[in-house]
Amino acid sequence: MAEFETRQPETETPDTRARLLEAAGQVFAEAGFDGTSVRDVCERAGVKNVGAVNYYFRSKENLYEEALRNAFQCPFTRLPAPHWPEGTPPLVKLHDFIRGMILHILGDGVQPWQMTLLMRELQKPGPAGERLVRDMIRPINEILWGLLREILPAVDERRLHLIGFSIVGQCFYHRFARPVIRLVVGQEEHASYDARVLAEHIVNFSLAALGLARLGEESS
């Protein structure tokens, strides 16, 4: 791996690091880790000095890992904190969790490249992907499993995990399968599937599948 100067590049601006991180996510999403060079990232970011990558990130590997984590954090850092007032019913907590997840997965701030990069890595996780799962993805699943334990105390851990994956899978399907769904139901109907409609549907569908009461009618 080529070594670059570690002193701060004199010609770059204070936002150089952020521009490199954003550009890296886009290029890694398009070409993967092996198909991306440091020069590719710098060109996309409009950074002339390739030494800027080494200065800010130390290596291409570190840049990739930070880009991967940034792609994950963009939608999920806006999820509501998993804290509820004492006495909050478990069904309300589950409703809040599912609604928060779908609203932020489908939110306007989520860029297509972010999900592409995540899926590219998580289909065959390398060291960076394994650390992402350990540090960021598993904790979200643990929150959901904790809520499900409150609701279904007699269910064994294996089934609890499967229920959680089914709930999360519904949320992500509407993100990744958008083009297919649009072709299946048509543009007009698909346009009515906004985040709030989908959130209410997934909440109520999941509760019904668990044999639990609905929390309200789905939005029209």
Side-chain angles (χ1 to χ4, degrees):
M1 181 176 60
E3 294 293 333
F4 302 108
E5 296 181 9
T6 57
R7 63 183 176 85
Q8 184 172 12
E10 297 176 358
T11 59
E12 306 306 338
T13 60
D15 69 340
T16 297
R17 188 183 191 283
R19 284 165 38 220
L20 285 169
L21 191 59
E22 180 80 5
Q26 296 172 14
V27 180
F28 284 131
E30 294 167 7
F33 180 82
D34 292 334
T36 296
S37 70
V38 168
R39 192 170 299 278
D40 293 333
V41 173
C42 289
E43 288 178 358
R44 179 70 62 91
V47 173
K48 295 180 181 179
N49 189 340
V50 294
V53 168
N54 205 52
Y55 174 77
Y56 289 109
F57 301 98
R58 295 301 185 189
S59 68
K60 176 184 167 184
E61 289 78 8
N62 288 345
L63 174 61
Y64 177 76
E65 184 157 358
E66 289 211 35
L68 189 65
R69 287 173 176 255
N70 182 56
F72 183 82
Q73 287 174 323
C74 285
F76 286 103
T77 51
R78 297 189 299 274
L79 279 171
H83 301 293
W84 289 271
E86 186 176 354
T88 302
L91 290 183
V92 172
K93 295 179 186 179
L94 181 63
H95 178 279
D96 291 347
F97 180 93
I98 296 173
R99 184 179 179 85
M101 174 167 282
I102 192 68
L103 288 175
H104 291 89
I105 287 175
L106 297 181
D108 294 336
V110 181
Q111 300 300 315
W113 68 261
Q114 293 166 347
M115 291 297 179
T116 300
L117 176 59
L118 289 169
M119 287 301 99
R120 178 186 280 274
E121 172 63 25
L122 295 177
Q123 285 175 353
K124 189 178 180 181
E130 291 176 2
R131 287 189 288 270
L132 179 73
V133 171
R134 179 195 67 202
D135 298 340
M136 295 182 169
I137 295 177
R138 184 176 177 87
I140 291 176
N141 280 278
E142 291 284 5
I143 294 170
L144 177 56
W145 293 334
L147 299 179
L148 291 172
R149 286 187 193 98
E150 290 187 60
I151 297 167
L152 304 166
V155 170
D156 63 69
E157 287 294 293
R158 180 173 177 272
R159 183 164 178 241
L160 200 73
H161 293 164
L162 290 172
I163 292 170
F165 294 143
S166 293
I167 291 172
V168 173
Q170 291 180 77
C171 298
F172 276 99
Y173 180 78
H174 284 281
R175 180 75 206 185
F176 297 122
R178 273 178 164 176
V180 175
I181 296 171
R182 189 180 299 116
L183 289 172
V184 170
V185 302
Q187 176 65 37
E188 183 177 356
E189 179 175 330
H190 186 257
S192 71
Y193 292 178
D194 63 33
R196 295 187 183 279
V197 167
L198 291 175
E200 294 307 313
H201 167 72
I202 292 171
V203 167
N204 289 321
F205 185 88
S206 300
L207 292 176
L210 295 172
L212 303 170
R214 295 165 63 93
L215 293 180
E217 295 299 321
E218 296 176 21
S219 302
S220 59

